[in-house]
PDB file of all heavy atoms in Angstrom:
ATOM      1  N   ARG A  81     139.678 118.403  87.308  1.00 38.00           N
ATOM      2  CA  ARG A  81     140.317 119.345  88.227  1.00 38.00           C
ATOM      3  C   ARG A  81     141.367 120.191  87.529  1.00 38.00           C
ATOM      4  O   ARG A  81     141.684 121.284  87.954  1.00 38.00           O
ATOM      5  CB  ARG A  81     140.956 118.573  89.388  1.00 38.00           C
ATOM      6  CG  ARG A  81     139.954 117.872  90.297  1.00 38.00           C
ATOM      7  CD  ARG A  81     140.631 117.450  91.588  1.00 38.00           C
ATOM      8  NE  ARG A  81     139.733 116.669  92.404  1.00 38.00           N
ATOM      9  CZ  ARG A  81     139.754 115.362  92.458  1.00 38.00           C
ATOM     10  NH1 ARG A  81     140.646 114.683  91.749  1.00 38.00           N
ATOM     11  NH2 ARG A  81     138.906 114.695  93.220  1.00 38.00           N
ATOM     12  N   ALA A  82     141.896 119.672  86.462  1.00 35.00           N
ATOM     13  CA  ALA A  82     142.895 120.449  85.741  1.00 35.00           C
ATOM     14  C   ALA A  82     142.270 121.667  85.075  1.00 35.00           C
ATOM     15  O   ALA A  82     142.899 122.686  84.879  1.00 35.00           O
ATOM     16  CB  ALA A  82     143.576 119.579  84.681  1.00 35.00           C
ATOM     17  N   ASP A  83     140.963 121.551  84.716  1.00 39.00           N
ATOM     18  CA  ASP A  83     140.275 122.641  84.035  1.00 39.00           C
ATOM     19  C   ASP A  83     139.554 123.559  85.001  1.00 39.00           C
ATOM     20  O   ASP A  83     139.423 124.751  84.794  1.00 39.00           O
ATOM     21  CB  ASP A  83     139.285 122.081  83.012  1.00 39.00           C
ATOM     22  CG  ASP A  83     139.982 121.275  81.928  1.00 39.00           C
ATOM     23  OD1 ASP A  83     141.119 121.631  81.583  1.00 39.00           O
ATOM     24  OD2 ASP A  83     139.365 120.322  81.438  1.00 39.00           O
ATOM     25  N   ARG A  84     138.966 122.982  86.035  1.00 38.00           N
ATOM     26  CA  ARG A  84     138.262 123.782  87.017  1.00 38.00           C
ATOM     27  C   ARG A  84     138.323 123.100  88.372  1.00 38.00           C
ATOM     28  O   ARG A  84     138.339 121.885  88.437  1.00 38.00           O
ATOM     29  CB  ARG A  84     136.808 124.016  86.606  1.00 38.00           C
ATOM     30  CG  ARG A  84     135.969 122.759  86.655  1.00 38.00           C
ATOM     31  CD  ARG A  84     134.515 123.100  86.320  1.00 38.00           C
ATOM     32  NE  ARG A  84     133.632 122.026  86.672  1.00 38.00           N
ATOM     33  CZ  ARG A  84     133.294 121.039  85.851  1.00 38.00           C
ATOM     34  NH1 ARG A  84     133.767 121.004  84.630  1.00 38.00           N
ATOM     35  NH2 ARG A  84     132.455 120.098  86.242  1.00 38.00           N
ATOM     36  N   SER A  85     138.324 123.890  89.408  1.00 45.00           N
ATOM     37  CA  SER A  85     138.474 123.309  90.747  1.00 45.00           C
ATOM     38  C   SER A  85     137.132 123.020  91.402  1.00 45.00           C
ATOM     39  O   SER A  85     137.084 122.427  92.459  1.00 45.00           O
ATOM     40  CB  SER A  85     139.271 124.278  91.632  1.00 45.00           C
ATOM     41  OG  SER A  85     138.630 125.524  91.700  1.00 45.00           O
ATOM     42  N   HIS A  86     136.032 123.437  90.772  1.00 53.00           N
ATOM     43  CA  HIS A  86     134.718 123.231  91.370  1.00 53.00           C
ATOM     44  C   HIS A  86     133.758 122.724  90.305  1.00 53.00           C
ATOM     45  O   HIS A  86     133.903 123.034  89.124  1.00 53.00           O
ATOM     46  CB  HIS A  86     134.173 124.553  91.947  1.00 53.00           C
ATOM     47  CG  HIS A  86     135.043 125.121  93.028  1.00 53.00           C
ATOM     48  ND1 HIS A  86     136.173 125.844  92.760  1.00 53.00           N
ATOM     49  CD2 HIS A  86     134.931 125.070  94.381  1.00 53.00           C
ATOM     50  CE1 HIS A  86     136.739 126.222  93.904  1.00 53.00           C
ATOM     51  NE2 HIS A  86     136.003 125.770  94.895  1.00 53.00           N
ATOM     52  N   PRO A  87     132.744 121.976  90.721  1.00 61.00           N
ATOM     53  CA  PRO A  87     131.744 121.529  89.759  1.00 61.00           C
ATOM     54  C   PRO A  87     130.939 122.702  89.218  1.00 61.00           C
ATOM     55  O   PRO A  87     130.735 123.703  89.905  1.00 61.00           O
ATOM     56  CB  PRO A  87     130.867 120.582  90.584  1.00 61.00           C
ATOM     57  CG  PRO A  87     131.057 121.000  92.001  1.00 61.00           C
ATOM     58  CD  PRO A  87     132.464 121.488  92.075  1.00 61.00           C
ATOM     59  N   ALA A  88     130.493 122.592  87.975  1.00 62.00           N
ATOM     60  CA  ALA A  88     129.685 123.651  87.391  1.00 62.00           C
ATOM     61  C   ALA A  88     128.382 123.782  88.155  1.00 62.00           C
ATOM     62  O   ALA A  88     127.784 122.784  88.550  1.00 62.00           O
ATOM     63  CB  ALA A  88     129.397 123.342  85.923  1.00 62.00           C
ATOM     64  N   PRO A  89     127.926 125.015  88.405  1.00 68.00           N
ATOM     65  CA  PRO A  89     126.680 125.178  89.160  1.00 68.00           C
ATOM     66  C   PRO A  89     125.500 124.604  88.405  1.00 68.00           C
ATOM     67  O   PRO A  89     125.396 124.729  87.190  1.00 68.00           O
ATOM     68  CB  PRO A  89     126.576 126.700  89.319  1.00 68.00           C
ATOM     69  CG  PRO A  89     127.402 127.276  88.220  1.00 68.00           C
ATOM     70  CD  PRO A  89     128.519 126.297  87.997  1.00 68.00           C
ATOM     71  N   ASP A  90     124.589 123.953  89.146  1.00 70.00           N
ATOM     72  CA  ASP A  90     123.395 123.348  88.561  1.00 70.00           C
ATOM     73  C   ASP A  90     122.288 124.393  88.554  1.00 70.00           C
ATOM     74  O   ASP A  90     121.350 124.346  89.343  1.00 70.00           O
ATOM     75  CB  ASP A  90     122.981 122.111  89.354  1.00 70.00           C
ATOM     76  CG  ASP A  90     121.831 121.386  88.688  1.00 70.00           C
ATOM     77  OD1 ASP A  90     121.606 121.605  87.494  1.00 70.00           O
ATOM     78  OD2 ASP A  90     121.176 120.596  89.385  1.00 70.00           O
ATOM     79  N   LEU A  91     122.411 125.374  87.650  1.00 83.00           N
ATOM     80  CA  LEU A  91     121.485 126.485  87.584  1.00 83.00           C
ATOM     81  C   LEU A  91     120.819 126.532  86.219  1.00 83.00           C
ATOM     82  O   LEU A  91     121.453 126.222  85.196  1.00 83.00           O
ATOM     83  CB  LEU A  91     122.224 127.814  87.820  1.00 83.00           C
ATOM     84  CG  LEU A  91     122.934 127.973  89.169  1.00 83.00           C
ATOM     85  CD1 LEU A  91     123.772 129.236  89.174  1.00 83.00           C
ATOM     86  CD2 LEU A  91     121.911 128.016  90.297  1.00 83.00           C
TER      87      LEU A  91
END
Side-chain angles (χ1 to χ4, degrees):
R81 294 194 186 99
D83 298 327
R84 69 176 194 270
S85 58
H86 299 81
D90 186 19
L91 300 172

